[in-house]
Amino acid sequence: VTGTGNGAGGLVGYNTTSASITTSYATGTVTGNNYVGGLVGANTYSCRITDSYTTGSVSGTTNVGGFVGYTEGTISASYFDLNTSNQTAACGNEGTCGAVGKATAELQANKTATNLYKTWSDDSWCFNCGNYPVLKNMPTGAPSAASCYNHCSCSGATPASNESTGKSKIGRASCRVRV
């Protein structure tokens, strides 16, 4: 995503008007000017983001964060990849953020090994250790989470056996936005 004005995000530029983003992720590169974030450019007052993560590189001029460029809203149980984002701050503006930066290995670990995803629903997410979590129900035509089932047996932070053909290459984001 390349933004030329204000508000560039891997999923949404501006999250406004009491909207909620939940159970989502973004993996692409985001570049912009002001309010630039891996998932959302600007998360305004009374807006919520939960159970989400981002892995893409993020760059901009002001209010740049690995997860959100600017936030006045609420963020919980959400993460960005410190190794791939080229950012150290989750949110570009000063204040309470709620998102946390983690190393790639932590984000790709078994759900029970790190406690990162303890509130994330097993009905929505596939936790295939050694890969980032993926959504189980993707729209028709989108990459699927087929590698989710019967491919990985984890007992710790690393796979005990992983028959998948490699890391997930899903480059789309999925979300539920309530306005």
Side-chain angles (χ1 to χ4, degrees):
V1 173
T2 301
T4 57
N6 293 332
L11 183 66
V12 175
Y14 277 89
N15 188 30
T16 66
T17 319
S18 301
S20 291
I21 298 173
T22 185
T23 314
S24 65
Y25 65 100
T27 61
T29 297
V30 182
T31 304
N33 183 23
N34 189 23
Y35 306 145
V36 184
L39 192 77
V40 175
N43 186 47
T44 62
Y45 180 74
S46 75
C47 293
R48 295 178 36 112
I49 303 172
T50 187
D51 298 351
S52 300
Y53 75 92
T54 180
T55 64
S57 175
V58 182
S59 62
T61 308
T62 55
N63 292 308
V64 181
F67 192 77
V68 171
Y70 179 87
T71 189
E72 296 172 334
T74 304
I75 303 171
S76 62
S78 296
Y79 309 98
F80 77 101
D81 192 317
L82 286 167
N83 301 115
T84 60
S85 68
N86 296 317
Q87 298 295 318
T88 56
C91 297
N93 65 310
E94 294 182 21
T96 304
C97 182
V100 178
K102 295 291 182 180
T104 302
E106 290 178 272
L107 293 173
Q108 293 180 348
N110 175 352
K111 180 180 180 180
T112 58
T114 64
N115 266 342
L116 288 182
Y117 307 115
K118 65 183 174 185
T119 63
W120 292 27
S121 170
D122 289 326
D123 292 334
S124 299
W125 291 98
C126 169
F127 301 95
N128 188 6
C129 51
N131 296 297
Y132 294 105
V134 293
L135 293 169
K136 289 182 177 179
N137 296 312
M138 295 296 284
T140 303
S144 72
S147 65
C148 177
Y149 305 101
N150 301 317
H151 290 289
C152 187
S153 172
C154 293
S155 59
T158 57
S161 66
N162 191 339
E163 300 169 19
S164 67
T165 57
K167 293 187 178 193
S168 171
K169 300 290 185 195
I170 294 177
R172 297 183 184 234
S174 179
C175 71
R176 179 177 62 196
V177 176
R178 286 179 250 143
V179 180

